[in-house]
């Protein structure tokens, strides 16, 4: 199933919409509501009707079709937004990003979660004595804002100087701007062959499955493949942090 679509000729209550979003997240299915919601903007349902007023005439009546034709110009921006939300590379992106940000925040603020996910207490956000690594954050900012942010960045240093904390702190500080954040220990790569894009997508699909607990790894591998078709102008799909690459000799 690609997605659930709810189309309504009224304003779908926020409680109902939230319940659908939660259920969709549990099942790994994106949810899109097309209704009569919005102040000062053309409703998404009306924008959908302007796609083909002739169909509106068949399904409703001539008067509705004429209204749809009249609303084509003012509905243009709403329709473009709806087209974007329905694109295969966008379906479920925002919800998946929200789940990933929840996990990132839990790693940063809860020692138990950090140990379970990374094998170490990297919850710098729970420590009163945490000292931000400003120079590292500045360099990561430069890297992220560069012309080629898809190139990898490496944070190196002696054991125990706070490399993991510095990276997590930067990701938290940029959480409003980042795409889907994925944080995994390098040990998760041990013994794995990642010789091509399919192997990498399979690995990331497994990580998304672990994060969501919905469907299976194959489902998330396929969905990630669709998300990766995102136009370059929309920005990166995800940012991947591999923790401790230099500490595990079995990582390829």
């Amino acid at each position: 199933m690609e997605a659930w679509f709810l189309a309504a000729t009224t304003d779908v209550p926020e409680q109902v919409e939230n319940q659908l979003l939660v259920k969709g997240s549990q099942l790994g299915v994106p949810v899109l509501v097309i209704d009569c919601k919005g102040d000062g903007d053309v409703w998404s349902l009306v924008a959908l009707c302007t796609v083909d007023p002739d169909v509106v005439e068949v399904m409703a009546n001539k008067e509705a079709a004429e209204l749809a034709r009249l609303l084509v110009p003012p509905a243009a921006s709403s329709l473009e937004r709806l087209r974007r939300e329905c694109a295969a590379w966008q379906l479920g992106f925002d919800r998946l990003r929200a789940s990933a940000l929840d996990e990132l925040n839990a790693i940063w603020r809860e020692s138990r979660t950090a140990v379970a996910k990374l094998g170490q207490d990297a919850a710098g956000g729970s420590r009163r004595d945490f000292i931000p690594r400003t120079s590292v954050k500045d360099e990561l900012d430069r890297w992220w804002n560069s012309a080629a942010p898809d190139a990898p960045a490496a944070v190196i240093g002696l054991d125990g100087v706070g490399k993991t904390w510095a990276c997590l702190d930067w990701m938290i500080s940029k959480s409003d701007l980042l795409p889907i954040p994925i944080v995994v220990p390098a040990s998760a790569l041990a013994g794995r062959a990642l010789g091509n894009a399919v192997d990498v997508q399979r690995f990331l699909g497994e990580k998304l499955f672990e994060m969501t607990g919905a469907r299976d790894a194959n489902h998330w591998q396929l969905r990630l493949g669709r998300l990766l078709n995102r136009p370059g102008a929309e920005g990166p799909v995800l940012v991947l942090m591999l923790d401790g690459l230099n500490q595990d000799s079995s990582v390829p």
Side-chain angles (χ1 to χ4, degrees), residues 9-91:
T9 56
T10 186
D11 181 348
V12 175
E14 183 178 355
Q15 182 179 4
V16 173
E17 188 168 343
N18 288 337
Q19 289 174 342
L20 284 172
L21 291 171
V22 170
K23 188 63 176 179
S25 293
Q26 293 171 350
L27 299 176
V29 179
V31 174
L32 184 61
V33 175
I34 303 173
D35 64 351
C36 300
K37 187 187 286 94
D39 296 326
D41 200 2
V42 175
W43 299 332
S44 56
L45 182 65
V46 173
L48 179 63
C49 290
T50 65
V51 173
D52 195 334
D54 291 339
V55 172
V56 174
E57 183 171 348
V58 173
M59 301 299 295
N61 53 54
K62 188 172 183 178
E63 182 181 3
E66 288 301 320
L67 287 173
R69 292 186 181 95
L70 290 172
L71 287 168
V72 169
S77 60
S78 295
L79 181 59
E80 180 58 31
R81 185 164 54 250
L82 183 59
R83 289 185 191 277
R84 182 179 183 278
E85 291 175 352
C86 291
W89 52 264
Q90 176 65 19
L91 275 172

Side-chain angles (χ1 to χ4, degrees), residues 68 116 249:
S249 59

Side-chain angles (χ1 to χ4, degrees), residues 98-194:
S99 297
L101 287 172
D102 286 344
E103 181 170 278
L104 174 64
N105 274 286
I107 291 172
W108 182 239
R109 304 187 189 286
E110 301 169 9
S111 296
R112 180 180 299 180
T113 302
V115 172
K117 297 293 183 180
L118 300 180
Q120 62 168 311
D121 186 358
S126 67
R127 300 286 295 269
R128 292 184 178 181
D129 59 347
F130 170 70
I131 300 175
R133 274 63 172 175
T134 306
S135 60
V136 176
K137 291 175 70 175
D138 288 345
E139 289 300 322
L140 288 173
D141 277 344
R142 254 192 290 291
W143 161 71
W144 186 253
N145 295 324
S146 68
D150 54 337
V155 177
I156 58 176
L158 298 174
D159 289 348
V161 298
K163 299 183 297 295
T164 301
W165 279 15
C167 293
L168 290 174
D169 183 32
W170 176 78
M171 293 178 78
I172 289 292
S173 70
K174 296 295 181 182
S175 58
D176 289 343
L177 303 175
L178 293 182
I180 300 170
I182 301 178
V183 182
V184 295
S187 58
L189 296 171
R192 296 193 63 132
L194 299 177

